[in-house]
Amino acid sequence: GENVEQHPSTLSVQEGDSAVIKCTYSDSASNYFPWYKQELGKGPQLIIDIRSNVGEKKDQRIAVTLNKTAKHFSLHITETQPEDSAVYFCAATPAAQKLVFGQGTRLTINP
Amino acid sequence: GAVVSQHPSRVICKSGTSVKIECRSLDFQATTMFWYRQFPKKSLMLMATSNEGSKATYEQGVEKDKFLINHASLTLSTLTVTSAHPEDSSFYICSARDMGTASDEQFFGPGTRLTVL
């Protein structure tokens, strides 16, 4: 089945700097790749997603890139702010709408 | 935007009792809902896919008799943890897709923290 690997597991950046989180997937049939932000004690919230027919998508300070050939996709957050501190999960959809999640990245923004 | 609610948000129960968790799509209909389990500082693991009007599809290793799922309407799915034990303590999260759109987006509930004493 699909396997999603996410790195790094923790990331600490200075406020205003950029943060990059990377994921790889194994199933070439996966065609939908969302990124979620989860705050402590809450459910995941979608922050951006990309489909396999697109290479890059941007929404204000957040962008996602996808390399289908290499089977990896990345989340880029620019001009980081303290409220960006949270756990971020990538996911891939191999079949039947199922989501397979990466292990998560704990992002800390230092003021 | 689409909202998914869960009830209760927290529950503490004694070992051996059963606990029911509700997942509702508040402003959209969903033929399919998903139940996840999340241990502290870990990722979300899909437990089962809940299908309106039919049996749920369970992931490998998930006991269907232990985790009973019912999806009786297009806005409600329930997860019942039967004869709960301390190892069932976890954060349970549901999600749903809006059947009225072609979007792949899943909307997640706020989660239910179950503690079994």
Side-chain angles (χ1 to χ4, degrees):
Chain A
E2 175 67 281
N3 182 46
V4 178
E5 296 287 333
Q6 183 173 345
H7 299 280
S9 57
T10 61
L11 180 60
S12 182
V13 302
Q14 288 298 120
E15 182 178 354
D17 288 350
S18 296
V20 180
I21 303 171
K22 299 182 179 182
C23 287
T24 61
Y25 62 98
S26 60
D27 191 338
S28 57
S30 290
N31 58 8
Y32 175 64
F33 307 92
W35 285 89
Y36 292 90
K37 176 182 181 182
Q38 187 179 29
E39 297 179 341
L40 189 63
K42 297 184 179 181
Q45 294 295 314
L46 180 73
I47 56 171
I48 197 167
D49 56 10
I50 192 167
R51 290 195 61 87
S52 58
N53 58 349
V54 176
E56 183 173 356
K57 185 177 177 180
K58 188 174 182 180
D59 183 4
Q60 299 183 331
R61 297 187 297 110
I62 296 173
V64 56
T65 59
L66 171 65
N67 183 325
K68 278 183 61 179
T69 303
K71 296 199 193 76
H72 61 69
F73 55 113
S74 301
L75 175 71
H76 304 253
I77 305 175
T78 59
E79 300 172 24
T80 53
Q81 301 167 2
E83 52 265 36
D84 294 330
S85 295
V87 179
Y88 290 81
F89 292 97
C90 64
T93 308
Q97 311 166 21
K98 295 183 181 181
L99 286 175
V100 177
F101 283 84
Q103 295 85 350
T105 297
R106 182 171 298 280
L107 176 63
T108 302
I109 308 301
N110 302 307
Chain B
V3 178
V4 175
S5 70
Q6 280 185 243
H7 178 79
S9 58
R10 291 176 176 270
V11 57
I12 301 173
C13 69
K14 293 182 178 180
S15 188
T17 60
S18 294
V19 174
K20 181 185 285 187
I21 302 169
E22 293 185 349
C23 176
R24 293 181 185 273
S25 55
L26 298 186
D27 49 2
F28 66 97
Q29 293 183 322
T31 53
T32 305
M33 293 183 174
F34 303 89
W35 286 96
Y36 297 84
R37 183 173 182 177
Q38 186 178 32
F39 290 108
K41 298 187 178 181
K42 296 294 184 182
S43 188
L44 285 78
M45 297 297 294
L46 180 65
M47 298 174 64
T49 302
S50 173
N51 305 297
E52 188 268 336
S54 65
K55 292 183 179 180
T57 305
Y58 291 82
E59 295 300 299
Q60 190 172 6
V62 178
E63 300 175 58
K64 61 179 68 175
D65 295 330
K66 173 76 172 175
F67 300 99
L68 301 179
I69 291 172
N70 184 273
H71 193 153
S73 78
L74 290 173
T75 59
L76 173 65
S77 175
T78 60
L79 168 68
T80 301
V81 183
T82 62
S83 187
H85 292 284
E87 57 266 29
D88 298 324
S89 297
S90 192
F91 194 49
Y92 292 88
I93 310 171
C94 70
S95 71
R97 285 187 64 203
D98 185 347
M99 63 181 284
T101 74
S103 171
D104 292 300
E105 183 176 355
Q106 288 188 24
F107 302 96
F108 282 82
T112 296
R113 182 156 310 280
L114 169 64
T115 303
V116 184
L117 302 177

